[in-house]
Amino acid sequence: MYPTLLAHIKRFVDLSEDEPAQLFHFIRPLQVKKKAFILKEGQLCKSDYFVEKGCLRMFFVNEKGIEQITQFALEHWWIADYFSLLNKTKTQFNIQAIENSEVLCFDLKTQAALFQQLPKMETYFRMVAQKAYAASQMRTKFFHDFSKEESYHHFNNAFPEFVQRVPQYMLASYLGFTPEYLSEIRKKK
Amino acid sequence: MYPTLLAHIKRFVDLSEDEPAQLFHFIRPLQVKKKAFILKEGQLCKSDYFVEKGCLRMFFVNEKGIEQITQFALEHWWIADYFSLLNKTKTQFNIQAIENSEVLCFDLKTQAALFQQLPKMETYFRMVAQKAYAASQMRTKFFHDFSKEESYHHFNNAFPEFVQRVPQYMLASYLGFTPEYLSEIRKKK
DNA sequence: CGGAATCTTGAAAGTGTTCAAATCAAGTGG
DNA sequence: CCACTTGATTTGAACACTTTCAAGATTCCG
C-alpha cells in the first residue's frame, strides 16, 4: 500500500515493520480525476498533499484573468499552499489534476498527533520542507540567471520526461512566458 | 543573551527555564563587519545562520559578471544555501554583511545532537523551514503577478523600513532589474 | 578635501507580449 | 469510423517594457 510514499519516507528516515500501518492511519487517500480540483481559490488549505501517482498543477489567476502556474507535482512530490495552511488564511491558489491521480492527504488537524505517535515523521517533514526550500532557492537562481529562452532549454534538458507529460502551454506558463513565445523558441531550433 | 533568537523560538515552541542555556551550547556566535563574507562561492555551506542583529545579503555572480541578489536577511531571519548544506555540494552563492552584524551559526555537524537533546528544536526548525517555503511560494507569485515597476511599489509598501536600510541598487538587483530602471521608476512619481 | 560608491539621464537596442487569425490535433457522439 | 467540436499550437505585425551603454551629478566616508 502506498509504495511511492513509503519509498520516499525511507530516503530520509528508517521505518520499523509496524510503523507503516500506524502511519496509514493518518492518511486520507483521494482519487482525483483529470481536471478535478483539490484546492480552489478562496478556500482554506487544510492538508499537505502527497502525489502517490499522477500529476498536479498549482496556479493562480492574475489580474488579466490568465492562469499562472507556479508549481507542478508528480509522483513523490508534496504540494500545498503553505501560507494558507500555516496561517489559516484563504488561499489565492488552485490545485488541479493534470492526469487522473492518486493523492494522499495529511490533514493539519491530525498532524500533532502524528508527530507525537511517530516522532520520525516530524524529522521527515522537516527534511522535506528544507529540501523544498532548497529547491526553491535554486529555482530563484535560475529565474534570475537565464533569459526566458534559456529557461526553456534548461528545463528541457533537466526534465525531458516531464516536458512530454504536460501540455506546452502549461510549461510556458510555469516558466513565465506566453505560449506564442514558446512557439517562437521552438521554431528556431 | 541572544534575545532576538529566544524571542523568535518562543513564537513557535515553549522553552523551559534551563533550555536556553542548553541551546547556547550549540551556537557559534560570529561578529561580522560590514562587507565581510560568511560564505563564498565554491565553499561548502556548513551552517544555518541566524541574524541576531544587522543585515546580510545573499547573491551570486551571473554570466555577465553582475552580482545578482537573491535574498536579504535582517534581524530574526535565517539564511543559508540549503542546497549546499543538505547535499554537501559547493555553493554557488555568497553571503555578505551589509551592516556590521551579529550572526549565530548552527553547525550542521552538531544538529543531530541538538535535536536529540532538545526535540523542541526540531519542531522549531521544521516550522521555520515550512514558513520559509511558504514565503518563497508567495514571492514566486508576486514575481509572476507584477511587472517590475509594480514589484518595486509593492515592495516599498510592504517593507518601508527595509527599503531605507539597503542601497537602492541592491534592491533593484533583488527585484530583478537594473539600477537605471529603478531610477526611472522613482522619477515618475 | 579627495576618492570611491551610489544615483541619475537619455538614446538606441533588445527581449518578450499582445492580438487576431489560421492551422493542427484530439476526443466525442452518432 | 466519420463528422463535429473543442483544445492546442503556430504565425506575423505592432507594441510595450526593460536593458545597455556612456556620461554626468551626487553623496558618503575616511
Side-chain angles (χ1 to χ4, degrees):
Chain A
M1 206 89 161
Y2 312 141
T4 309
L5 175 66
L6 289 180
H8 193 252
I9 293 175
K10 285 176 185 167
R11 281 200 218 171
F12 297 93
V13 296
D14 293 320
L15 286 183
S16 67
E17 287 256 333
D18 61 323
E19 284 171 337
Q22 294 181 54
L23 174 63
F24 292 161
H25 206 249
F26 292 92
I27 294 174
R28 191 162 50 80
L30 206 58
Q31 301 296 330
V32 195
K33 287 249 171 65
K34 182 172 175 171
K35 301 213 175 164
F37 288 81
I38 61 177
L39 183 71
K40 279 193 177 175
E41 185 178 343
Q43 298 177 333
L44 293 180
C45 182
K46 296 180 174 178
S47 305
D48 232 325
Y49 300 102
F50 180 86
V51 181
E52 176 68 25
K53 182 155 180 16
C55 180
L56 310 179
R57 68 173 180 140
M58 182 163 166
F59 68 94
F60 68 94
V61 179
N62 68 18
E63 299 146 347
K64 294 173 190 155
I66 293 171
E67 296 180 356
Q68 254 298 339
I69 297 176
T70 58
Q71 205 175 139
F72 292 107
L74 329 83
E75 286 81 11
H76 79 62
W77 280 80
W78 285 91
I79 192 167
D81 174 358
Y82 291 97
F83 191 87
S84 169
L85 191 63
L86 299 177
N87 300 294
K88 302 185 199 310
T89 55
K90 289 181 182 172
T91 182
Q92 303 177 288
F93 294 96
N94 304 273
I95 302 178
Q96 185 189 29
I98 296 178
E99 309 170 353
N100 292 335
S101 304
E102 180 175 16
V103 174
L104 308 180
C105 311
F106 284 70
D107 295 333
L108 184 64
K109 217 167 39 180
T110 58
Q111 201 188 58
L114 168 63
F115 292 161
Q116 197 179 7
Q117 185 173 338
L118 294 169
K120 280 173 195 177
M121 286 304 290
E122 178 147 31
T123 301
Y124 170 69
F125 270 71
R126 170 181 63 78
M127 292 178 130
V128 167
Q130 287 178 334
K131 212 176 155 234
Y133 185 59
S136 140
Q137 281 185 318
M138 281 320 235
R139 186 178 165 195
T140 299
K141 177 170 187 290
F142 290 140
F143 233 88
H144 285 286
D145 215 357
F146 296 150
S147 71
K148 305 211 162 176
E149 181 168 353
E150 286 170 333
S151 294
Y152 173 71
H153 291 125
H154 177 264
F155 197 85
N156 249 306
N157 293 332
F159 312 102
E161 9 55 63
F162 182 75
V163 174
Q164 307 208 289
R165 230 167 128 177
V166 307
Q168 297 289 325
Y169 75 95
M170 288 195 187
L171 189 53
S173 173
Y174 175 74
L175 294 176
F177 48 79
T178 59
E180 290 92 337
Y181 190 57
L182 206 183
S183 193
E184 180 132 330
I185 293 171
R186 283 154 63 84
K187 187 172 48 173
K188 281 193 196 169
K189 171 105 187 306
Chain B
M1 209 89 160
Y2 312 142
T4 308
L5 175 65
L6 290 180
H8 194 252
I9 294 176
K10 285 177 185 168
R11 281 200 217 172
F12 297 93
V13 296
D14 292 321
L15 286 184
S16 67
E17 288 256 332
D18 61 320
E19 284 170 337
Q22 294 182 55
L23 174 62
F24 292 162
H25 206 250
F26 293 93
I27 294 174
R28 190 163 49 81
L30 207 57
Q31 301 296 328
V32 196
K33 287 251 170 66
K34 182 172 176 172
K35 301 213 174 161
F37 287 80
I38 60 177
L39 182 71
K40 279 193 178 178
E41 185 178 346
Q43 298 177 332
L44 293 180
C45 182
K46 295 180 175 178
S47 305
D48 231 328
Y49 301 102
F50 179 87
V51 180
E52 176 69 24
K53 182 152 180 19
C55 181
L56 311 178
R57 68 173 181 141
M58 181 163 168
F59 68 94
F60 67 94
V61 179
N62 69 19
E63 299 146 349
K64 294 174 190 155
I66 294 170
E67 296 181 355
Q68 253 300 339
I69 297 176
T70 58
Q71 206 175 136
F72 292 106
L74 329 82
E75 286 80 11
H76 79 62
W77 280 80
W78 285 91
I79 192 167
D81 174 358
Y82 290 97
F83 190 87
S84 169
L85 191 64
L86 298 177
N87 300 296
K88 302 186 200 308
T89 55
K90 289 182 182 171
T91 182
Q92 304 177 289
F93 294 96
N94 303 274
I95 302 178
Q96 185 188 30
I98 297 179
E99 309 169 355
N100 291 335
S101 304
E102 180 175 16
V103 174
L104 308 180
C105 310
F106 284 70
D107 294 334
L108 184 64
K109 216 168 37 179
T110 58
Q111 201 187 59
L114 168 63
F115 292 160
Q116 197 177 6
Q117 185 173 338
L118 293 169
K120 280 174 194 175
M121 286 304 291
E122 178 147 31
T123 301
Y124 169 70
F125 270 72
R126 171 181 61 79
M127 291 178 132
V128 167
Q130 288 179 334
K131 215 179 152 229
Y133 185 60
S136 141
Q137 282 185 318
M138 280 319 232
R139 185 178 167 196
T140 300
K141 178 171 186 288
F142 290 139
F143 234 88
H144 284 286
D145 215 357
F146 296 149
S147 71
K148 305 212 161 174
E149 181 169 352
E150 287 169 333
S151 295
Y152 173 69
H153 291 125
H154 177 265
F155 198 85
N156 249 305
N157 292 332
F159 311 102
E161 9 56 62
F162 182 74
V163 173
Q164 308 207 286
R165 234 168 123 177
V166 307
Q168 297 291 323
Y169 77 93
M170 287 195 187
L171 188 54
S173 173
Y174 175 74
L175 294 174
F177 48 83
T178 60
E180 291 92 335
Y181 190 56
L182 206 184
S183 194
E184 179 133 332
I185 294 171
R186 282 153 64 85
K187 184 171 52 171
K188 281 194 195 169
K189 172 100 187 304

